[in-house]
Amino acid sequence: ALKPTDTVLEIGPGTGNMTVPLLQQSKHVIAIEYDNRMVREVLKRVEGTAEERKLQIVQGDAIKTRFPFFDVCVANVPYQISSALVFKLLSHRPMFRCAVMMFQEEFALRLTARPGEALYCRLSVNTQLLAKVDQLMKVGRNNFRPPPKVESRVVRLELRNPPPPVDFTEWDGMVRLLFNRKNKTLRAVLMTKPTIRLLEENRRTQRALRGDSMDEEVEEKNAEQIIEEVVNMEQWKDKRASKLDLDDFLALLAEFNKRGIHFA
């Protein structure tokens, strides 16, 4: 629920159907709109009303625009920027209370997909690591004029506070690699020549940055041997990314890091 003290970030206000009620229930609305015609429509809609002074419109691309401070984000998201917008919100600081967004149905379902489900992917894992995601409602295509080809869903996203104690760049490096071929075993994905070469280079870089302080047993092994050892451990043998949950990925990354293997 909105509070009278809230600053709302609205992405893609269109003609202002949501903007007006948002203005009535909050302290301030900052609307980011790409289309100049829509900017004029929204401004015309509030002209001369009590809400006019509470509205600030930023014309521009939501992905390229630096977000201001806000408490709540509301967005009807075009498919082509859905993923980029979610990742931008997940990394936004200071933290906001929640984001309520409408996406195409398949994209919305990816956000909450579980291990073993067909839609489970890198987006699912990364979003669930950093946020709590709830499916709020389904919106049929007949609610729009003209009706689109696909159904939509409204989801709520709340950042985990405090955020998980993991280096996200490295986490995403591992997850991206494993989900490139999510139905292959971890061994099949990680034991390819390009991957071994990449991880060996990362390992050398990390050793140089650390001043070469790894213990001698690990020191003697190369990346290929270390990967082989990890993927043959009981808990990882014959496992596939498509069936691993957040705790599995966190444990896997910790095991690799402990042995000097890094994904960034």
Side-chain angles (χ1 to χ4, degrees):
L2 283 178
K3 300 174 183 174
T5 53
D6 280 341
T7 292
V8 178
L9 177 68
E10 186 183 15
I11 297 168
T15 58
N17 288 340
M18 283 291 294
T19 314
V20 173
L22 289 172
L23 285 164
Q24 289 165 347
Q25 294 180 52
S26 66
K27 180 182 177 186
H28 187 54
V29 172
I30 302 161
I32 300 177
E33 175 55 65
Y34 186 77
D35 189 331
N36 194 33
R37 292 165 306 168
M38 296 301 167
V39 171
R40 288 198 298 270
E41 282 288 323
V42 178
L43 288 171
K44 196 161 69 182
R45 202 150 173 181
V46 297
E47 198 176 355
T49 69
E51 279 74 49
E52 187 177 10
R53 61 182 177 75
K54 295 163 73 175
L55 175 65
Q56 175 189 346
I57 293 202
V58 178
Q59 190 189 349
D61 180 331
I63 303 305
K64 294 176 183 168
T65 302
R66 187 187 167 120
F67 288 168
F69 168 84
F70 63 93
D71 299 292
V72 175
C73 174
V74 175
N76 178 5
V77 189
Y79 184 74
Q80 63 272 22
I81 68 162
S82 296
S83 193
L85 180 62
V86 167
F87 281 114
K88 184 166 180 171
L89 286 168
L90 290 174
S91 62
H92 181 76
R93 297 294 181 272
M95 288 188 166
F96 51 91
R97 194 163 75 249
C98 72
V100 177
M101 297 177 285
M102 185 157 67
F103 296 109
Q104 284 189 10
E105 182 169 47
E106 184 181 305
F107 183 88
L109 292 173
R110 284 181 188 279
L111 295 174
T112 52
R114 310 300 303 160
E117 294 176 359
L119 292 176
Y120 190 57
C121 62
R122 171 180 163 241
L123 176 73
S124 323
V125 173
N126 282 344
T127 306
Q128 291 167 38
L129 174 78
L130 299 173
K132 178 175 178 283
V133 191
D134 295 303
Q135 301 282 342
L136 297 184
M137 62 190 287
K138 187 169 176 169
V139 183
R141 67 191 82 176
N142 294 327
N143 288 287
F144 303 95
R145 291 286 172 270
K149 292 192 175 82
V150 294
E151 307 284 325
S152 298
R153 276 180 178 264
V154 177
V155 304
R156 180 177 55 226
L157 192 140
E158 294 173 46
L159 296 184
R160 297 195 187 280
N161 193 5
V166 64
D167 176 337
F168 183 76
T169 308
E170 179 164 15
W171 162 275
D172 188 47
M174 182 185 78
V175 169
R176 186 194 294 265
L177 198 59
L178 296 179
F179 272 99
N180 275 341
R181 295 152 70 207
K182 70 175 185 177
N183 292 313
K184 297 282 186 187
T185 64
L186 299 180
R187 187 181 188 283
V189 176
L190 294 171
M191 291 298 287
T192 64
K193 283 192 171 70
T195 301
I196 291 166
R197 195 160 54 241
L198 170 75
L199 296 178
E200 184 62 57
E201 283 168 12
N202 288 354
R203 181 168 168 267
R204 287 179 182 160
T205 305
Q206 290 283 344
R207 279 170 56 184
L209 290 171
R210 253 206 298 270
D212 218 5
S213 63
M214 291 166 62
D215 69 57
E216 284 172 21
E217 188 193 346
V218 175
E219 193 79 47
E220 291 163 12
K221 293 172 183 167
N222 60 29
E224 185 173 2
Q225 292 168 311
I226 298 168
I227 296 164
E228 186 79 74
E229 281 181 4
V230 173
V231 296
N232 282 317
M233 290 170 69
E234 191 57 44
Q235 66 263 52
W236 309 122
K237 202 172 170 60
D238 300 326
K239 290 290 194 296
R240 292 158 168 76
S242 59
K243 302 284 173 66
L244 300 182
D245 63 18
L246 284 181
D247 289 337
D248 293 328
F249 285 116
L250 285 165
L252 183 62
L253 181 60
E255 188 63 48
F256 276 123
N257 285 175
K258 188 173 81 181
R259 293 163 181 256
I261 295 292
H262 294 270
F263 292 84

